Amino acid sequence: MINNVVAKARKAQGEWAKVPTSERAAVFRRFSKLVLERQAEIMDVLQDETHKNRLSAFEEVLDTTQLTHYYGRHATKLLKPKRRRGAFPILTKTIEVNRPIGVIGVITPWNYPFTLPSTDVAPAVIAGNAVVLVPDELTPKSADLMLSLMLEAGVPEGVVSIVHGGGRVHGKDLIDAADFIMFTGSTATGRIVAAQCAERLIGFSGELGGKNPMLVLSDADVPKAAPGAVRACFANSGQLCVSIERLYVVEAHYDEFLKEFVAATESMKLGDAKDWAIDMGPLISDKQFVRVRDQVTDAIAKGAKLQSGGRVRPDIAPTFFEPTILTNVSDSMELGRGETFGPVVAVYKVKDDAEAIARANDTDYGLNSSIWGGAAATLAATQIESGTVTINEGFSASFASHDAPMGGMKTSGVGRRHGRQGLLKYTQPQTIAVQRLIGIAPIGKQTNEAFAKLVSRLLGIWNRIS
Ligand code: NAD
């Protein structure tokens, strides 16, 4: 079945690649505007499908409109052929062109089911590719709405197709037929997908899991850090790849920070409705709910201390789990080192900034880190092993900096989305070199040795002046 969809996409791609880049980019400037205009409809679909709170749904609108506006404005310049230094000055004219790859397979998860498909599909399509998208099986309607808005904005039929049923069912067939795979999901699934791509020698970009740290350093502003931690840990009910699950606080600030963090968490409005005032909604599914509940139960059984939350709330919704703050968490607990992907954070007291940095880096993951402080935070950023570092905010400042790359170090990812890298990864660089006047070989009856001497002398001069 996917074979047919990919074959159709391949046909559509041939025509689409002939459309000038500036026109392809203009389509996504229209899409960006449509997303902003139709935000209420998008947020309703998102809330119906995921039960996230309205502000988290709005974040999807915001991220999608801004990212597609960014590529709509800048892609033409980024994709323009670039003049490169030739083999021989004057004699060789060299340009680098970026050609589309063909059909891109995109696999996306359920947690940001409008923004992740939109922002992975848009750069691939602007670069001249066709896309076959396999969204998570829990969130088909968000993906369908994205496609209908893209068609309305002017993406031709067949350039973007959706196959429903999820990656567990269709992943292998998609990888067998596509020319490049953009995957977002867990590190475990990312390894499987990457191995299949390696078999076919096709490109792979993976945005994977995290166990993201937040550091409250010696020169941090605690009254700002505490509410900042609430946003960083509990936005989208913690079902966010860049959200914070480990919090390291220097001992000088620990008591004050924990008190303010608990108070700010307990003032959150919990619910399951399309009401802007609600700060946190339920988890998306029974599976996610069980995972979060079992990790917290395991941690408490092994000695973790509950500072806030920790209860299931069937009075709000069957999959509601309270925003939860734990201390006394150790590596023997499942959530000590493993990703929870829910509204649960472990707070640790550390001696000083150096210990906070060392503990933050003591993980196989490296997606996002949040550092609170002044000069100490800027210095710490250079020592932190994660693809994004967000100073004095949880994650939104770096994630929304669309001109800069976003992605993971260590097992959190391969490749980047956003910025120049997020567009050029969907292209194949090609070098075209034109040799003028004379070839790169002895001239006439010149001996090889005389040619080598002449070239050495000329290049010696050229290398000194250039
Ligand atoms: P998951 O890996 O189970 O599923 C993710 C996607 O992969 C889904 O669409 C699923 O259908 C598909 N899939 C599952 N098995 C597959 C297979 N064998 N072949 C191909 N596709 C397959 O992840 P999940 O638990 O549903 O999602 C949460 C995870 O995603 C977390 O680990 C989170 O950190 C990560 N995530 C990362 C980012 C990022 O940008 N780094 C963004 C969002 C989510």
Side-chain angles (χ1 to χ4, degrees):
M1 174 209 176
I2 284 231
N3 272 341
N4 292 340
V5 180
V6 172
K8 277 191 195 145
R10 208 172 284 294
K11 222 165 148 202
Q13 191 264 332
E15 292 308 306
W16 179 240
K18 292 180 197 152
V19 174
T21 315
S22 56
E23 285 178 35
R24 299 198 303 253
V27 168
F28 282 89
R29 290 202 297 278
R30 286 197 290 278
F31 174 76
S32 166
K33 274 193 191 147
L34 276 176
V35 168
L36 211 50
E37 283 162 21
R38 304 271 279 276
Q39 57 176 278
E41 181 187 348
I42 296 168
M43 289 187 291
D44 285 350
V45 170
L46 281 168
Q47 286 199 278
D48 288 342
E49 232 170 23
T50 66
H51 295 269
K52 58 177 67 192
N53 66 319
R54 199 138 181 98
L55 190 60
S56 296
F58 178 68
E59 282 166 12
E60 299 212 38
V61 169
L62 202 56
D63 187 58
T64 305
T65 190
Q66 284 308 99
L67 187 283
T68 50
H69 175 78
Y70 165 75
Y71 280 129
R73 278 259 171 271
H74 299 283
T76 308
K77 190 167 166 217
L78 291 169
L79 291 168
K80 221 165 107 179
K82 307 270 182 320
R83 192 76 190 260
R84 298 294 179 210
R85 279 170 68 104
F88 284 91
I90 305 164
L91 301 180
T92 320
K93 180 186 167 194
T94 302
I95 55 164
E96 178 191 326
V97 294
N98 291 100
R99 296 173 56 156
I101 295 174
V103 178
I104 311 294
V106 175
I107 302 173
T108 50
W110 44 261
N111 65 327
Y112 276 77
F114 188 81
T115 200
L116 289 174
S118 303
T119 59
D120 284 337
V121 169
V125 172
I126 294 178
N129 301 285
V131 169
V132 176
L133 167 69
V134 175
D136 192 275
E137 53 273 34
L138 290 176
T139 49
K141 289 186 183 142
S142 305
D144 283 344
L145 180 55
M146 173 210 80
L147 179 55
S148 76
L149 294 175
M150 283 188 182
L151 293 173
E152 199 174 324
V155 173
E157 289 283 344
V159 169
V160 179
S161 322
I162 296 182
V163 177
H164 287 302
R168 280 165 205 86
V169 177
H170 297 299
K172 184 163 184 322
D173 291 343
L174 180 68
I175 298 162
D176 281 344
D179 304 315
F180 181 96
I181 295 292
M182 172 67 229
F183 172 81
T184 305
S186 63
T187 296
T189 311
R191 283 188 209 278
I192 296 170
V193 172
Q196 288 169 6
C197 291
E199 273 297 312
R200 288 201 54 229
L201 288 179
I202 60 169
F204 163 82
S205 188
E207 296 290 342
L208 310 176
K211 186 76 186 170
N212 307 301
M214 171 167 156
L215 294 74
V216 181
L217 299 184
S218 46
D219 57 356
D221 184 341
V222 173
K224 283 191 182 149
V230 173
R231 296 192 293 279
C233 302
F234 305 130
N236 205 38
S237 312
Q239 303 167 118
L240 177 54
C241 55
V242 285
S243 72
I244 299 301
E245 297 193 357
R246 301 180 288 142
L247 227 159
Y248 300 102
V249 188
V250 294
E251 61 188 356
H253 294 320
Y254 184 82
D255 291 341
E256 182 194 357
F257 175 84
L258 190 59
K259 192 164 151 245
E260 292 199 20
F261 181 35
V262 167
T265 299
E266 291 182 349
S267 72
M268 289 172 77
K269 189 167 176 203
L270 312 179
D272 180 16
K274 294 191 176 87
D275 171 354
W276 282 100
I278 289 172
D279 296 310
M280 199 183 99
L283 298 163
I284 188 169
S285 62
D286 284 344
K287 187 176 159 205
Q288 201 58 22
F289 172 76
V290 167
R291 173 184 166 133
V292 171
R293 186 199 60 196
D294 288 359
Q295 281 199 10
V296 172
T297 307
D298 167 74
I300 291 170
K302 290 177 180 158
K305 210 166 149 212
L306 205 52
Q307 299 291 341
S308 182
R311 290 180 306 165
V312 300
R313 291 290 298 273
D315 55 313
I316 301 175
T319 60
F320 202 101
F321 199 89
E322 284 180 342
T324 298
I325 302 172
L326 296 168
T327 52
N328 270 14
V329 169
S330 69
D331 282 0
S332 67
M333 302 164 192
E334 216 181 310
L335 58 71
R337 298 186 79 83
E339 188 182 34
T340 305
F341 216 56
V344 181
V345 62
V347 184
Y348 304 89
K349 187 194 286 186
V350 292
K351 195 162 55 57
D352 54 20
D353 295 353
E355 189 187 347
I357 296 166
R359 300 271 303 268
N361 285 338
D362 181 19
T363 171
D364 292 337
Y365 292 112
L367 193 56
N368 176 52
S369 306
S370 164
I371 313 181
W372 293 74
T378 315
L379 183 66
T382 62
Q383 298 164 45
I384 285 284
E385 297 156 1
S386 61
T388 53
V389 178
T390 316
I391 296 179
N392 293 332
E393 189 50 82
F395 50 79
S396 44
S398 53
F399 197 90
S401 295
H402 293 128
D403 191 30
M406 189 272 148
M409 292 184 181
K410 301 182 183 171
T411 64
S412 285
V414 175
R416 294 290 183 268
R417 55 163 59 104
H418 299 175
R420 195 178 129 266
Q421 289 96 329
L423 180 69
L424 294 186
K425 74 182 176 191
Y426 294 122
T427 66
Q428 317 195 58
Q430 181 182 51
T431 299
I432 301 175
V434 184
Q435 188 63 19
R436 297 185 283 208
L437 304 174
I438 50 170
I440 304 177
I443 307 157
K445 291 202 163 58
Q446 191 183 30
T447 64
N448 289 348
E449 192 180 0
F451 168 74
K453 277 189 181 149
L454 176 67
V455 168
S456 304
R457 206 170 318 124
L458 292 175
L459 287 184
I461 297 167
W462 177 248
N463 290 348
R464 270 200 300 281
I465 60 172
S466 64

